Amino acid sequence: MKMNFDEQNHRFYIEENDQLIGEITFTPINDSNVISIDHTFVEEDHRGHGLARQLVQTVIDYAKENNLKILPICPYAKKVFDNEPDIRDILESKYLQNLTNKELNHGSK
């Protein structure tokens, strides 16, 4: 399995034997330094092996290398950032502020 980058379509994907088994897509937001993670997908028979988390990490690494911030739109990506406070430094500032306020108001998990 190899991670590939389709820069034109803003996606990272994993193929095995020329079959798509997972992908994550993102969109640059206007002329800002923010990208939104829009979609994360892993084929059913490959789930439970950490591939989706690996895809999210690849976008985090890409964002860091390119001085970008992340706005998670995809429910899976939101869950990753909700559950892993140590990676939140890459989040877009308003999203991070809202997440922090929500935790303060509802008590941290």
Side-chain angles (χ1 to χ4, degrees), residues 70-85:
I70 293 174
L71 179 62
I73 303 297
C74 156
Y76 178 78
K78 283 183 177 183
K79 190 172 91 174
V80 170
F81 285 104
D82 283 354
N83 294 334
E84 298 183 39

PDB file of all heavy atoms in Angstrom, residues 70-85:
ATOM      1  N   ILE A  70      -6.067  24.051   9.307  1.00  0.00           N
ATOM      2  CA  ILE A  70      -7.094  23.101   8.898  1.00  0.00           C
ATOM      3  C   ILE A  70      -8.441  23.447   9.528  1.00  0.00           C
ATOM      4  O   ILE A  70      -8.523  23.742  10.717  1.00  0.00           O
ATOM      5  CB  ILE A  70      -6.699  21.667   9.286  1.00  0.00           C
ATOM      6  CG1 ILE A  70      -5.475  21.231   8.470  1.00  0.00           C
ATOM      7  CG2 ILE A  70      -7.860  20.696   9.079  1.00  0.00           C
ATOM      8  CD1 ILE A  70      -4.919  19.880   8.870  1.00  0.00           C
ATOM      9  N   LEU A  71      -9.475  23.375   8.698  1.00  0.00           N
ATOM     10  CA  LEU A  71     -10.856  23.491   9.138  1.00  0.00           C
ATOM     11  C   LEU A  71     -11.510  22.137   8.840  1.00  0.00           C
ATOM     12  O   LEU A  71     -11.760  21.823   7.680  1.00  0.00           O
ATOM     13  CB  LEU A  71     -11.558  24.613   8.378  1.00  0.00           C
ATOM     14  CG  LEU A  71     -13.022  24.847   8.705  1.00  0.00           C
ATOM     15  CD1 LEU A  71     -13.205  25.244  10.162  1.00  0.00           C
ATOM     16  CD2 LEU A  71     -13.596  25.917   7.790  1.00  0.00           C
ATOM     17  N   PRO A  72     -11.740  21.308   9.855  1.00  0.00           N
ATOM     18  CA  PRO A  72     -12.323  19.989   9.581  1.00  0.00           C
ATOM     19  C   PRO A  72     -13.831  20.085   9.348  1.00  0.00           C
ATOM     20  O   PRO A  72     -14.564  20.546  10.211  1.00  0.00           O
ATOM     21  CB  PRO A  72     -12.003  19.177  10.834  1.00  0.00           C
ATOM     22  CG  PRO A  72     -11.798  20.187  11.912  1.00  0.00           C
ATOM     23  CD  PRO A  72     -11.391  21.467  11.256  1.00  0.00           C
ATOM     24  N   ILE A  73     -14.265  19.696   8.173  1.00  0.00           N
ATOM     25  CA  ILE A  73     -15.680  19.652   7.815  1.00  0.00           C
ATOM     26  C   ILE A  73     -16.171  18.200   7.905  1.00  0.00           C
ATOM     27  O   ILE A  73     -17.263  17.930   8.378  1.00  0.00           O
ATOM     28  CB  ILE A  73     -15.897  20.179   6.374  1.00  0.00           C
ATOM     29  CG1 ILE A  73     -15.349  21.596   6.222  1.00  0.00           C
ATOM     30  CG2 ILE A  73     -17.359  20.094   5.973  1.00  0.00           C
ATOM     31  CD1 ILE A  73     -16.017  22.642   7.064  1.00  0.00           C
ATOM     32  N   CYS A  74     -15.350  17.296   7.465  1.00  0.00           N
ATOM     33  CA  CYS A  74     -15.661  15.864   7.481  1.00  0.00           C
ATOM     34  C   CYS A  74     -15.877  15.380   8.920  1.00  0.00           C
ATOM     35  O   CYS A  74     -15.081  15.703   9.804  1.00  0.00           O
ATOM     36  CB  CYS A  74     -14.487  15.130   6.838  1.00  0.00           C
ATOM     37  SG  CYS A  74     -14.274  13.425   7.298  1.00  0.00           S
ATOM     38  N   PRO A  75     -16.954  14.634   9.170  1.00  0.00           N
ATOM     39  CA  PRO A  75     -17.227  14.152  10.534  1.00  0.00           C
ATOM     40  C   PRO A  75     -16.086  13.329  11.137  1.00  0.00           C
ATOM     41  O   PRO A  75     -15.794  13.469  12.325  1.00  0.00           O
ATOM     42  CB  PRO A  75     -18.481  13.281  10.370  1.00  0.00           C
ATOM     43  CG  PRO A  75     -19.132  13.792   9.134  1.00  0.00           C
ATOM     44  CD  PRO A  75     -18.014  14.265   8.242  1.00  0.00           C
ATOM     45  N   TYR A  76     -15.405  12.520  10.334  1.00  0.00           N
ATOM     46  CA  TYR A  76     -14.302  11.727  10.877  1.00  0.00           C
ATOM     47  C   TYR A  76     -13.152  12.642  11.308  1.00  0.00           C
ATOM     48  O   TYR A  76     -12.604  12.490  12.405  1.00  0.00           O
ATOM     49  CB  TYR A  76     -13.799  10.686   9.865  1.00  0.00           C
ATOM     50  CG  TYR A  76     -12.630   9.925  10.433  1.00  0.00           C
ATOM     51  CD1 TYR A  76     -12.831   8.904  11.358  1.00  0.00           C
ATOM     52  CD2 TYR A  76     -11.317  10.264  10.109  1.00  0.00           C
ATOM     53  CE1 TYR A  76     -11.757   8.244  11.935  1.00  0.00           C
ATOM     54  CE2 TYR A  76     -10.250   9.615  10.678  1.00  0.00           C
ATOM     55  CZ  TYR A  76     -10.472   8.598  11.586  1.00  0.00           C
ATOM     56  OH  TYR A  76      -9.405   7.953  12.170  1.00  0.00           O
ATOM     57  N   ALA A  77     -12.792  13.596  10.472  1.00  0.00           N
ATOM     58  CA  ALA A  77     -11.698  14.516  10.819  1.00  0.00           C
ATOM     59  C   ALA A  77     -12.047  15.313  12.067  1.00  0.00           C
ATOM     60  O   ALA A  77     -11.198  15.523  12.941  1.00  0.00           O
ATOM     61  CB  ALA A  77     -11.389  15.446   9.650  1.00  0.00           C
ATOM     62  N   LYS A  78     -13.313  15.762  12.178  1.00  0.00           N
ATOM     63  CA  LYS A  78     -13.739  16.478  13.387  1.00  0.00           C
ATOM     64  C   LYS A  78     -13.520  15.610  14.624  1.00  0.00           C
ATOM     65  O   LYS A  78     -13.030  16.078  15.646  1.00  0.00           O
ATOM     66  CB  LYS A  78     -15.225  16.847  13.299  1.00  0.00           C
ATOM     67  CG  LYS A  78     -15.527  18.018  12.425  1.00  0.00           C
ATOM     68  CD  LYS A  78     -17.022  18.314  12.480  1.00  0.00           C
ATOM     69  CE  LYS A  78     -17.352  19.530  11.670  1.00  0.00           C
ATOM     70  NZ  LYS A  78     -18.766  19.885  11.746  1.00  0.00           N
ATOM     71  N   LYS A  79     -13.886  14.339  14.522  1.00  0.00           N
ATOM     72  CA  LYS A  79     -13.744  13.418  15.648  1.00  0.00           C
ATOM     73  C   LYS A  79     -12.276  13.258  16.045  1.00  0.00           C
ATOM     74  O   LYS A  79     -11.941  13.239  17.234  1.00  0.00           O
ATOM     75  CB  LYS A  79     -14.356  12.060  15.286  1.00  0.00           C
ATOM     76  CG  LYS A  79     -14.470  11.122  16.465  1.00  0.00           C
ATOM     77  CD  LYS A  79     -15.263   9.886  16.090  1.00  0.00           C
ATOM     78  CE  LYS A  79     -14.292   8.833  15.594  1.00  0.00           C
ATOM     79  NZ  LYS A  79     -14.887   7.544  15.318  1.00  0.00           N
ATOM     80  N   VAL A  80     -11.402  13.179  15.055  1.00  0.00           N
ATOM     81  CA  VAL A  80      -9.965  13.053  15.348  1.00  0.00           C
ATOM     82  C   VAL A  80      -9.487  14.256  16.148  1.00  0.00           C
ATOM     83  O   VAL A  80      -8.834  14.113  17.184  1.00  0.00           O
ATOM     84  CB  VAL A  80      -9.139  12.889  14.050  1.00  0.00           C
ATOM     85  CG1 VAL A  80      -7.644  13.012  14.329  1.00  0.00           C
ATOM     86  CG2 VAL A  80      -9.443  11.539  13.391  1.00  0.00           C
ATOM     87  N   PHE A  81      -9.840  15.455  15.698  1.00  0.00           N
ATOM     88  CA  PHE A  81      -9.400  16.664  16.404  1.00  0.00           C
ATOM     89  C   PHE A  81     -10.080  16.801  17.766  1.00  0.00           C
ATOM     90  O   PHE A  81      -9.474  17.282  18.718  1.00  0.00           O
ATOM     91  CB  PHE A  81      -9.613  17.914  15.548  1.00  0.00           C
ATOM     92  CG  PHE A  81      -8.609  18.037  14.445  1.00  0.00           C
ATOM     93  CD1 PHE A  81      -8.952  17.743  13.137  1.00  0.00           C
ATOM     94  CD2 PHE A  81      -7.303  18.422  14.707  1.00  0.00           C
ATOM     95  CE1 PHE A  81      -8.026  17.846  12.105  1.00  0.00           C
ATOM     96  CE2 PHE A  81      -6.353  18.525  13.701  1.00  0.00           C
ATOM     97  CZ  PHE A  81      -6.720  18.237  12.389  1.00  0.00           C
ATOM     98  N   ASP A  82     -11.331  16.361  17.865  1.00  0.00           N
ATOM     99  CA  ASP A  82     -12.028  16.382  19.157  1.00  0.00           C
ATOM    100  C   ASP A  82     -11.323  15.494  20.176  1.00  0.00           C
ATOM    101  O   ASP A  82     -11.207  15.845  21.348  1.00  0.00           O
ATOM    102  CB  ASP A  82     -13.475  15.878  19.018  1.00  0.00           C
ATOM    103  CG  ASP A  82     -14.405  16.905  18.407  1.00  0.00           C
ATOM    104  OD1 ASP A  82     -13.978  18.059  18.177  1.00  0.00           O
ATOM    105  OD2 ASP A  82     -15.570  16.545  18.147  1.00  0.00           O
ATOM    106  N   ASN A  83     -10.866  14.343  19.727  1.00  0.00           N
ATOM    107  CA  ASN A  83     -10.301  13.331  20.625  1.00  0.00           C
ATOM    108  C   ASN A  83      -8.799  13.453  20.850  1.00  0.00           C
ATOM    109  O   ASN A  83      -8.261  12.770  21.709  1.00  0.00           O
ATOM    110  CB  ASN A  83     -10.616  11.926  20.102  1.00  0.00           C
ATOM    111  CG  ASN A  83     -12.102  11.632  20.141  1.00  0.00           C
ATOM    112  OD1 ASN A  83     -12.836  12.198  20.942  1.00  0.00           O
ATOM    113  ND2 ASN A  83     -12.548  10.758  19.267  1.00  0.00           N
ATOM    114  N   GLU A  84      -8.118  14.296  20.066  1.00  0.00           N
ATOM    115  CA  GLU A  84      -6.658  14.403  20.175  1.00  0.00           C
ATOM    116  C   GLU A  84      -6.218  15.863  20.306  1.00  0.00           C
ATOM    117  O   GLU A  84      -5.792  16.480  19.334  1.00  0.00           O
ATOM    118  CB  GLU A  84      -5.996  13.755  18.951  1.00  0.00           C
ATOM    119  CG  GLU A  84      -6.289  12.275  18.825  1.00  0.00           C
ATOM    120  CD  GLU A  84      -5.576  11.622  17.664  1.00  0.00           C
ATOM    121  OE1 GLU A  84      -4.401  11.979  17.415  1.00  0.00           O
ATOM    122  OE2 GLU A  84      -6.190  10.766  17.009  1.00  0.00           O
ATOM    123  N   PRO A  85      -6.310  16.394  21.529  1.00  0.00           N
ATOM    124  CA  PRO A  85      -5.959  17.808  21.733  1.00  0.00           C
ATOM    125  C   PRO A  85      -4.521  18.168  21.327  1.00  0.00           C
ATOM    126  O   PRO A  85      -4.259  19.314  20.966  1.00  0.00           O
ATOM    127  CB  PRO A  85      -6.149  18.013  23.243  1.00  0.00           C
ATOM    128  CG  PRO A  85      -7.056  16.912  23.674  1.00  0.00           C
ATOM    129  CD  PRO A  85      -6.800  15.761  22.738  1.00  0.00           C
TER     130      PRO A  85
END
